Amino acid sequence: MFSPGFTRGANSYCTLDSPHLNLLYVMEELVKNQAELVHAIDSVWVALCAALIFQMEGGFALLEAGFVRSKNSISIIAKVIIDVIFGGVAFYAVGFAIAYGRSNGWFAFGLGILDYDLGLGLTVSNSLFWFIQMGFAVAAISIVSGAIAERMKVWAYAAFVTLFCALIYPLAANWAWNPKGWLAVQGFNDFAGSAVVHTLGGFAALAGAIVLGPRIGKYNADGSINAIPGHNLTLAAVGAFVLWFGWFGFNPGSTLGAVGKWEMIGTVAVNTFLASAMGGISTMVYTRLRHKAVDITMVINGILAGLVAITAGCNVVSPGAALLIGLVAGILVDIAVITIDRMHIDDPVGAIAVHGINGAFGTLAVGLFSLKNGLFTTGQWSCLFIQAEGMIAIAVFSFVSAYVLFKLLDKIIGIRVHRNVEQAGIDTAEYGVEAYTTFD
């Protein structure tokens, strides 16, 4: 591109016959260096956020272990580990390519980490993009582990995790996040996964809880309900804080870059916090008024419900709307937990209410409060329609596919532990160890 008067020395210095060529070279170097700088900064940002998302699995483990009985706490921790190791490998093998390959609008094919442009305008490598997306896939399946706690066989669960992260989650991600997905091309807004992660995981959890049936002793013959409290609320609270912390990688990290996106990152972080805080406040007040006492376990779930609900629209709603979304989510989670329990669907940690119900609400909330085209902000209905379409499609797909898969696994290998194992505790029966030991 340079004229015959241009030469480059050994140390990349230039001797030019024309000041114009010298300026051209300097501009070329600046552009190249700027591009490298953007890639470097964005890669550091995404890597840090991906690490925060990955450590959320520790939050799931602590939260769920605290909400179950001590005799099953090792079992639930093992299931979260299975989410990471089986789910992560499955998402690498085929899941990522199904989600982000060359889509026909519904699915794609491929193996491993794709080596071509994904059409997303990424300024990070496909490998790093795979890593952060793997965190989302594993988070989705970790929602299921809480709802089926204390009664599912470990190898049956491992099989379900593998198929969920290889097929079910990638298909939903293809629809909403692949640039050619049938929801994406209609303008469906699910910024960080209220639908793709939380609604999907929550309705899969609903299917699992129905197929497995309730824990022994949860419901009486006359229809009355027996409370089965968790063994360590301190552990659960610490787990909630770990998840809360990780959510600031989950949502802000979905910008997939930092350069030129600092305003959006700030908006997303503020909205994420405000919705979660208001979720906790509204649950605290609501449980005090309804049950005459503050239910701290429900407050924990109220904070998480606010986080789930704001995840879809944290990039397009105002801080005031984020507060309102959190307020509704905090009340909705308590109503949903009680309603699901009255339907004799046994969910030990409230995963269906927190993630499934509030994921669906958060997806719809975009259509109500989006500053671009929300019903309450602009008077437009189109966004609400596409948000409702996407939410219903993902919820129905998740429930049906998970229900069929659980049924098939039950017929082939059996999914529920033996009655004696459940009564004695899964930890000693399947793992030969107890979470808490005493010495004389």
Side-chain angles (χ1 to χ4, degrees):
M1 65 186 295
F2 296 106
S3 69
F6 169 83
T7 59
R8 179 174 292 178
N11 295 321
S12 296
Y13 290 100
C14 303
T15 303
L16 300 125
D17 297 335
S18 165
H20 295 93
L21 291 177
N22 186 49
L23 179 61
L24 181 62
Y25 172 73
V26 170
M27 291 176 65
E28 180 191 52
E29 290 297 305
L30 284 173
V31 169
K32 183 172 70 173
N33 291 338
Q34 184 182 37
E36 288 295 321
L37 189 60
V38 169
H39 291 315
I41 293 172
D42 286 352
S43 293
V44 170
W45 168 250
V46 173
L48 288 173
C49 290
L52 286 175
I53 295 168
F54 184 82
Q55 65 83 40
M56 289 174 74
E57 293 306 304
F60 276 113
L62 291 170
L63 179 77
E64 294 174 4
F67 275 161
V68 301
R69 290 167 288 186
S70 60
K71 65 182 181 179
N72 295 313
S73 51
I74 291 296
S75 166
I76 199 65
I77 291 171
K79 286 181 172 62
V80 176
I81 292 173
I82 287 169
D83 293 337
V84 176
I85 58 179
F86 282 82
V89 171
F91 189 68
Y92 167 79
V94 294
F96 182 73
I98 291 173
Y100 293 103
R102 296 187 176 99
S103 176
N104 63 3
W106 295 89
F107 56 87
F109 292 107
L111 298 173
I113 299 174
L114 305 171
D115 58 1
Y116 51 79
D117 185 358
L118 304 179
L120 297 167
L122 297 175
T123 52
V124 300
S125 69
N126 285 4
S127 294
L128 184 55
F129 179 63
W130 169 83
F131 183 62
I132 193 170
Q133 291 302 312
M134 182 272 293
F136 283 83
V138 170
I141 188 58
S142 294
I143 295 165
V144 179
S145 63
I148 53 85
E150 300 199 282
R151 57 208 193 274
M152 188 167 183
K153 292 180 179 178
V154 60
W155 288 108
Y157 183 71
F160 180 82
V161 169
T162 301
L163 293 169
F164 182 93
C165 291
L167 295 173
I168 297 175
Y169 173 83
L171 287 172
N174 184 292
W175 301 348
W177 289 341
N178 189 300
K180 294 184 179 179
W182 70 274
L183 287 173
V185 297
Q186 295 183 69
F188 183 69
N189 190 101
D190 187 21
F191 185 69
S194 286
V196 173
V197 176
H198 298 284
T199 302
L200 187 82
F203 279 85
L206 174 62
I210 290 173
V211 175
L212 273 168
R215 290 167 291 175
I216 296 172
K218 176 62 179 174
Y219 303 111
N220 299 317
D222 62 1
S224 58
I225 302 169
N226 297 316
I228 303 179
H231 83 284
N232 194 328
L233 295 186
T234 303
L235 204 64
V238 172
F241 274 107
V242 172
L243 286 169
W244 202 351
F245 179 71
W247 230 287
F248 291 97
F250 206 92
N251 286 3
S254 292
T255 58
L256 299 177
V259 177
K261 299 178 180 178
W262 46 83
E263 284 290 346
M264 181 186 292
I265 291 171
T267 297
V268 168
V270 168
N271 286 341
T272 298
F273 173 75
L274 290 177
S276 60
M278 185 54 75
I281 291 171
S282 66
T283 306
M284 195 170 185
V285 173
Y286 181 78
T287 56
R288 176 66 180 84
L289 293 174
R290 178 168 181 170
H291 308 297
K292 309 306 180 185
V294 174
D295 185 341
I296 195 63
T297 63
M298 200 60 71
V299 172
I300 290 172
N301 277 340
I303 293 168
L304 296 177
L307 289 166
V308 168
I310 196 62
T311 294
C314 54
N315 64 323
V316 294
V317 303
S318 68
L323 287 169
L324 186 55
I325 289 169
L327 186 150
V328 174
I331 297 172
L332 185 59
V333 70
D334 184 76
I335 295 172
V337 164
I338 292 172
T339 302
I340 290 167
D341 207 18
R342 286 175 176 171
M343 295 170 65
H344 286 197
I345 298 172
D346 186 12
D347 179 1
V349 305
I352 301 165
V354 171
H355 299 277
I357 303 302
N358 277 286
F361 162 65
T363 305
L364 293 176
V366 176
L368 299 174
F369 299 107
S370 172
L371 293 172
K372 299 177 182 178
N373 51 8
L375 177 62
F376 294 161
T377 53
T378 67
Q380 300 180 47
W381 287 89
S382 58
C383 181
L384 182 59
F385 285 149
I386 181 58
Q387 293 299 120
E389 180 185 19
M391 179 273 289
I392 293 170
I394 289 172
V396 172
F397 166 70
S398 175
F399 179 80
V400 172
S401 58
Y403 187 90
V404 170
L405 183 54
F406 275 118
K407 281 289 190 180
L408 286 174
L409 288 172
D410 193 29
K411 288 199 174 290
I412 296 170
I413 59 176
I415 62 174
R416 182 155 184 160
V417 298
H418 190 274
R419 182 181 183 87
N420 293 339
V421 171
E422 185 175 344
Q423 291 178 323
I426 300 175
D427 291 358
T428 54
E430 287 205 339
Y431 302 98
V433 65
E434 295 180 358
Y436 304 97
T437 56
T438 56
F439 297 93
D440 294 331

